[in-house]
Amino acid sequence: MRRLSYKSGKDRSMNNTDDNRNMIYFLIASMVLLFGYQFFVLGPQQKKQQAAAQVAAAAASSSSAANIAAGLPASGPATLTTAQALASSPRVPIDTPSVRGSIALKGAVIDDLHLVKYLQKLGSKDTVTLLKPAGTKDAQYVRSGFNMQNVPGAPTPDTVWTVGSGSVLSVGKPVVLVHDAGNGLRFERTLSIDENYMITQADRVINRTAAAATFAPYAMVVRNTAPKRSSAGDYVHQGTMATFCKTQEDCSKGKYLTNQSKFHELVKGKDFREGSTTGGWYAITEEYWMAAVIPDQKMGVNYRTRSDTVNTTQTFTAGYAASNSITVPAGQMWNSTSHIFAGAKHDDQLKAYEKTLGIPRFYWAVDWGSLQFITYPFYLLLTWLYKAVGNMGLAILALTVIVKVAFYPLAHRSYEQMTKLRHVQQRLQPKLDAIKKKFPDDMQKQQEATMKLYQEEKVNPMAGLGGCLPMLLQIPVFICLFKVLQMSIDMRHAPFFGWIKDLSAPDPLSIINLFGLLPFDPATVPLIGGILAGPLHIGPVAILYGISMWASQEMTPMAGIDPMQKRIMSFMPLIMIFFFSQLAIGLMIYYFWSNILTILQQYSIYKRLKVDNPLDDFIAKITGKSEKKAA
């Protein structure tokens, strides 16, 4: 029977008093902790934040002033829609077979350009937008003008130019923009464009005043916010570029240098470029597209490529200004011709511009990398194969075969040495098994007995690894091929066969929805959609690649390799499946096909040397011949 306990009223009163006292103590302690935290922690943090905000505001103001001094508008947050920004200035249309857009007469800015031959996404009707007006999201534009001090009526970023002649900028139909200062100074800008992506800008300053006019022309590409990192990561450059020479002597000899600064490095305040040179070119480039300003190649310029925070907005700039002020005497005029490139980076077009316009190293706009002497010939070969067969996927397969044939002597020697080692290993296998049985739990004694056996049989277990040395010579080639397949613009939206519609994108099918048999998109699954469409997005080509890699490993002798290394290597195919599934499917096709050719090459050597191989054993198991042979 449960005993009940009762407390007297006095006891309950004492307990209530104690509870009230404890509550008061708790409240007092809480208030002390709260005020202490506010005074000692939050207070200093708020002061630091206010100081940082003041420094940032000062930097933004300074950077903004510097931009205005350079003839560039002070950038700000994206507050306008594209339609609003386009409507804020009268415009001159641009219409060619390659680009469409318009020029803002306010500031004579080229800030609206679409690449009509390229779609933003496969199956979309929206074309790639390269240039967008200031004040919009992801704005990018080209501004050029004249730095003039204390000259009344000189054009500014807010000056609205008038159209002197022409109504639409198109191939063979130039447009002339005019600004008359009203005091005898007249500025004329003639813009012409070719059938591709090069705009020629001819500026003229006419001085009809009684005094000399002094100014410094400038041009610059401006971009707000960095683009998303490409699927190729750092293998393909995205950021600013500057081509320049260090000395006047180098310029006269054509010894130009090209420096690249990646967006993510610029955001960190690193890798800024500036200096003085003659000519050159300065650009903001993405994986496949570029906007570049190109001065008169005889003009001395101060160039810069950098990133600034202007009014809380990250702004990237690449451009130049004349290093020496130009003085136009009274009654005289000044003429200069510069160029603006805005479009897709086609190697053949870039090389043509380099030759006809004298632009140094212009084809370096495509990121060939440090192994250019290997990368570029492979790119040319891939391009030739693509033109010959008419399908980029087939061109990749053909390129793989050519590479395998070229390296056949080296590979054959390597596989032959490893096969001979496999032959010795099979001959000694009974003795090796006996050693394992004799020392089942002592790996050190197993290895000692094994090495003693190899010495008695005069076998060098490292000979197979020596056969790998010729294969190591192929590593730079494979790296270059990887880069070629990542940066080739012909890969973009290039179809192959079946479900493969874009060789530059990851495999569209995923094992998560049984390769499309289940009617849902893994990316739309709540909470975990990003993981299912990211690291777990494994397509059939990645799986085939993993199987081919496993088969190639099984065909390779493992004698003399540490057992732990063998176990680690056995997991490599699985690891590579996850890694390669995130890459462009064109790359996976290349590596899968390369593995298949390697397996066939190894198999032929095994047959010639009459060495048992896993492929025959596997086929025998499937067909049942192994059981008949055993019987």
Side-chain angles (χ1 to χ4, degrees), residues 200-480:
T200 300
Q201 177 174 303
D203 283 322
R204 175 183 295 178
V205 177
I206 304 172
N207 183 11
R208 297 193 181 100
T209 66
T214 302
F215 57 88
Y218 71 87
M220 191 169 290
V221 183
V222 183
R223 182 185 178 102
N224 298 135
T225 71
K228 294 180 180 179
R229 298 284 292 275
S230 70
S231 59
D234 288 338
Y235 286 100
V236 177
H237 175 67
Q238 291 194 117
T240 60
M241 297 187 73
T243 295
F244 57 91
C245 47
K246 290 185 176 181
T247 65
Q248 185 60 42
E249 183 180 357
D250 288 342
C251 294
S252 61
K253 294 180 179 179
K255 294 182 178 180
Y256 281 82
L257 302 173
T258 300
N259 279 332
Q260 301 174 336
S261 302
K262 298 182 182 297
F263 281 118
H264 61 87
E265 292 295 329
L266 293 170
V267 170
K268 297 176 184 177
K270 300 178 181 179
D271 216 16
F272 293 172
R273 304 286 179 179
E274 58 183 3
S276 299
T277 187
T278 300
W281 54 274
Y282 314 93
I284 293 180
T285 180
E286 298 180 54
E287 190 171 2
Y288 300 115
W289 332 114
M290 180 178 72
V293 288
I294 308 160
D296 185 325
Q297 294 304 300
K298 295 181 180 180
M299 178 186 289
V301 298
N302 295 325
Y303 67 89
R304 76 169 190 170
T305 62
R306 59 178 295 131
S307 171
D308 299 282
T309 302
V310 183
N311 297 334
T312 71
T313 299
Q314 197 75 35
T315 302
F316 304 93
T317 55
Y320 66 88
S323 55
N324 297 314
S325 296
I326 295 170
T327 299
V328 182
Q332 300 293 320
M333 70 173 61
W334 168 85
N335 294 278
S336 179
T337 300
S338 59
H339 295 87
I340 297 167
F341 177 91
K345 297 187 293 184
H346 284 282
D347 174 69
D348 54 348
Q349 293 176 5
L350 297 175
K351 291 183 71 175
Y353 290 137
E354 180 174 336
K355 183 178 180 180
T356 58
L357 300 179
I359 307 172
R361 306 181 77 170
F362 200 47
Y363 84 107
W364 280 54
V366 180
D367 180 19
W368 301 110
S370 57
L371 296 175
Q372 177 182 351
F373 64 96
I374 301 176
T375 306
Y376 190 59
F378 275 118
Y379 171 80
L380 296 177
L381 177 58
L382 178 65
T383 304
W384 180 83
L385 291 171
Y386 174 53
K387 293 178 180 178
V389 300
N391 183 288
M392 181 56 74
L394 293 177
I396 292 173
L397 299 182
L399 178 64
T400 310
V401 173
I402 292 174
V403 172
K404 283 293 182 182
V405 170
F407 281 96
Y408 181 81
L410 286 175
H412 186 80
R413 179 187 175 189
S414 174
Y415 295 144
E416 192 171 50
Q417 290 184 12
M418 289 189 291
T419 302
K420 290 179 179 178
L421 179 62
R422 187 182 187 92
H423 189 279
V424 173
Q425 186 181 7
Q426 289 177 353
R427 179 172 60 83
L428 299 178
Q429 193 62 46
K431 295 181 180 181
L432 294 172
D433 292 339
I435 291 174
K436 290 181 180 179
K437 290 180 180 180
K438 186 176 181 180
F439 308 105
D441 301 320
D442 195 332
M443 294 298 298
Q444 183 176 353
K445 289 186 177 181
Q446 279 188 28
Q447 292 184 6
E448 291 175 355
T450 300
M451 294 306 298
K452 183 178 180 181
L453 174 63
Y454 285 150
Q455 290 175 1
E456 293 174 352
E457 296 287 340
K458 297 182 179 180
V459 173
N460 180 11
M462 303 304 291
L465 296 179
C468 292
L469 292 178
M471 300 297 294
L472 295 178
L473 299 176
Q474 302 181 44
I475 291 179
V477 174
F478 291 137
I479 293 175
C480 293

Side-chain angles (χ1 to χ4, degrees), residues 545 548-549 552 590-600:
Y545 167 76
S548 69
M549 184 178 181
S552 180
Y590 164 74
Y591 284 110
F592 166 68
W593 180 233
S594 180
N595 283 345
I596 295 298
L597 295 177
T598 299
I599 292 170
L600 294 176

Side-chain angles (χ1 to χ4, degrees), residues 495-631:
F496 189 35
F497 295 114
W499 73 94
I500 302 174
K501 306 297 183 183
D502 183 2
L503 288 168
S504 67
D507 196 329
L509 301 184
S510 173
I511 196 173
I512 300 298
N513 61 1
L514 299 182
F515 310 124
L517 294 178
L518 299 180
F520 77 95
D521 183 0
T524 61
V525 177
L527 300 180
I528 61 173
I531 298 176
L532 297 181
L536 297 182
H537 182 89
I538 300 173
V541 178
I543 295 174
L544 290 174
Y545 167 76
I547 294 173
S548 69
M549 184 178 181
W550 168 80
S552 180
Q553 283 186 354
E554 288 296 309
M555 298 283 285
T556 303
M558 294 291 182
I561 299 180
D562 183 75
M564 179 58 69
Q565 291 181 346
K566 288 183 181 180
R567 282 192 285 271
I568 293 174
M569 291 180 65
S570 66
F571 283 100
M572 283 302 296
L574 182 62
I575 295 172
M576 296 305 289
I577 285 176
F578 285 92
F579 174 73
F580 272 79
S581 64
Q582 310 303 308
L583 300 179
I585 195 169
L587 273 171
M588 287 191 286
I589 290 173
Y590 164 74
Y591 284 110
F592 166 68
W593 180 233
S594 180
N595 283 345
I596 295 298
L597 295 177
T598 299
I599 292 170
L600 294 176
Q601 187 174 4
Q602 289 175 301
Y603 182 77
S604 66
I605 295 174
Y606 286 159
K607 281 294 187 182
R608 182 170 58 83
L609 297 179
K610 297 181 180 180
V611 178
D612 294 338
N613 64 84
L615 188 58
D616 279 339
D617 295 341
F618 180 72
I619 295 174
K621 288 181 181 179
I622 295 178
T623 59
K625 291 184 178 180
S626 59
E627 298 178 0
K628 296 178 181 179
K629 185 176 181 180

Side-chain angles (χ1 to χ4, degrees), residues 59-78:
S61 176
S62 175
S63 181
S64 176
N67 273 356
I68 292 175
L72 297 169
S75 300

